[in-house]
Amino acid sequence: MNIASRLNKNPYWQMSLTSWLSLQRMPAYSLPTLLFPIMFYAFFGLVMARGYAQPMMITFSCFGVLGTAMFAFGIGAATERAQGWWLLLRAAPMPLSAMLTGKLVAVMAFSLLIILGIAWLAALFGDVRLTTVQWLALFVVLLAGAIPFSLLGLALGLWLSPNAAPGVINLIYLPLAFLSGLWIPVSQLPGPLQGLAEWLPPYHLAGLALHFTGTQSGPWVLHIGVLLLFTALCAGLVALSWRRFQGS
């Protein structure tokens, strides 16, 4: 049996390809998800704050990953659950892990496109220069960072209706991005809000990426610890949401 035949029979490969095509064929998701972080970086990072091209390249990439993960899993899960797709999956022989892995692979693929687009602008117009190791560290950290926010989106999608999901996720996603310093540096936020950033996971994801690219020193062990704790909490929320869904 050749490689193509094996892949076609592999449920993880099938769901990864299906999830990628599904997101790609939804312009209401794919276009804003891909273009908004890149456009915002071009305006804020390259035009409005030229001296911050490198750190803002990282924070806006983090912003793109955050939105990609939460919307793909949150709105996607809410819509598919309402359409009966999740009930069908419960009765189908395909493992649930294959569906979740496929969605995560699609999210990471979209996230990689955003990171590459912002990095290209930063290198071409912002004169950002990183070593090969630093570029790889940026990609690995941010793509791994999609995991906890995908879990958060999934937990929300299992609880919310398709009509409520976009509004609720926006109410969480946009303040998280702003208060974590993904749009403007935390030092430029009002005083009472600056201390709040340290309690927010996106702040630590951006801080970890800033550290491993040599852009900014920081307590990287603390960043990793907070992100691991957040991942565990989100996994627990998913387990509770899934138990509720199975009982419905």
Side-chain angles (χ1 to χ4, degrees), residues 138-153:
L138 175 64
F139 297 149
V140 169
V141 168
L142 292 182
L143 292 180
I147 296 174
F149 297 105
S150 295
L151 291 173
L152 176 60

Side-chain angles (χ1 to χ4, degrees), residues 9-21:
K9 294 184 178 181
N10 187 305
Y12 293 88
W13 167 257
Q14 290 176 344
M15 288 306 301
S16 297
L17 183 59
T18 300
S19 298
W20 164 256
L21 292 175

Side-chain angles (χ1 to χ4, degrees), residues 85-145:
W85 176 240
W86 284 69
L87 288 175
L88 178 62
L89 284 174
R90 288 169 61 181
M94 177 175 292
L96 177 66
S97 59
M99 190 273 289
L100 297 179
T101 300
K103 279 188 173 293
L104 182 59
V105 169
V107 164
M108 288 186 171
F110 264 84
S111 298
L112 182 59
L113 290 177
I114 294 170
I115 299 168
L116 288 173
I118 292 176
W120 179 79
L121 287 177
L124 191 62
F125 300 106
D127 198 30
V128 172
R129 298 292 181 266
L130 298 178
T131 65
T132 301
V133 173
Q134 289 173 333
W135 282 118
L136 289 175
L138 175 64
F139 297 149
V140 169
V141 168
L142 292 182
L143 292 180

Side-chain angles (χ1 to χ4, degrees), residues 10-188:
N10 187 305
Y12 293 88
W13 167 257
Q14 290 176 344
M15 288 306 301
S16 297
L17 183 59
T18 300
S19 298
W20 164 256
L21 292 175
S22 176
L23 293 179
Q24 188 180 9
R25 291 170 180 174
M26 290 193 302
Y29 169 83
S30 58
L31 291 179
T33 298
L34 290 172
L35 295 180
F36 282 178
I38 297 174
M39 290 170 55
F40 289 162
Y41 173 70
F43 181 73
F44 291 104
L46 298 177
V47 177
M48 299 295 293
R50 295 187 62 85
Y52 295 92
Q54 183 164 319
M56 295 188 80
M57 172 192 73
I58 294 169
T59 58
F60 273 102
S61 295
C62 182
F63 170 63
V65 170
L66 178 65
T68 302
M70 291 188 66
F71 281 98
F73 270 87
I75 298 177
T79 302
E80 292 167 356
R81 181 170 52 84
Q83 293 174 343
W85 176 240
W86 284 69
L87 288 175
L88 178 62
L89 284 174
R90 288 169 61 181
M94 177 175 292
L96 177 66
S97 59
M99 190 273 289
L100 297 179
T101 300
K103 279 188 173 293
L104 182 59
V105 169
V107 164
M108 288 186 171
F110 264 84
S111 298
L112 182 59
L113 290 177
I114 294 170
I115 299 168
L116 288 173
I118 292 176
W120 179 79
L121 287 177
L124 191 62
F125 300 106
D127 198 30
V128 172
R129 298 292 181 266
L130 298 178
T131 65
T132 301
V133 173
Q134 289 173 333
W135 282 118
L136 289 175
L138 175 64
F139 297 149
V140 169
V141 168
L142 292 182
L143 292 180
I147 296 174
F149 297 105
S150 295
L151 291 173
L152 176 60
L154 177 59
L156 292 171
L158 287 172
W159 277 91
L160 300 171
S161 69
N163 293 329
V168 173
I169 291 174
N170 268 311
L171 285 175
I172 297 172
Y173 158 63
L174 294 176
L176 265 182
F178 176 74
L179 295 173
S180 298
L182 301 186
W183 296 348
I184 60 175
V186 173
S187 60
Q188 297 183 19

Side-chain angles (χ1 to χ4, degrees), residues 165-247:
V168 173
I169 291 174
N170 268 311
L171 285 175
I172 297 172
Y173 158 63
L174 294 176
L176 265 182
F178 176 74
L179 295 173
S180 298
L182 301 186
W183 296 348
I184 60 175
V186 173
S187 60
Q188 297 183 19
L189 293 175
L193 298 180
Q194 292 182 15
L196 183 61
E198 298 181 2
W199 295 88
L200 302 177
Y203 169 82
H204 291 280
L205 177 59
L208 195 63
L210 288 165
H211 175 82
F212 283 112
T213 56
T215 307
Q216 176 181 301
S217 60
W220 63 272
V221 175
L222 175 63
H223 294 324
I224 292 177
V226 171
L227 290 170
L228 289 176
L229 177 61
F230 178 63
T231 303
L233 289 174
C234 289
L237 287 175
V238 170
L240 290 175
S241 301
W242 180 251
R243 185 176 301 174
R244 173 180 175 270
F245 168 68
Q246 285 185 313

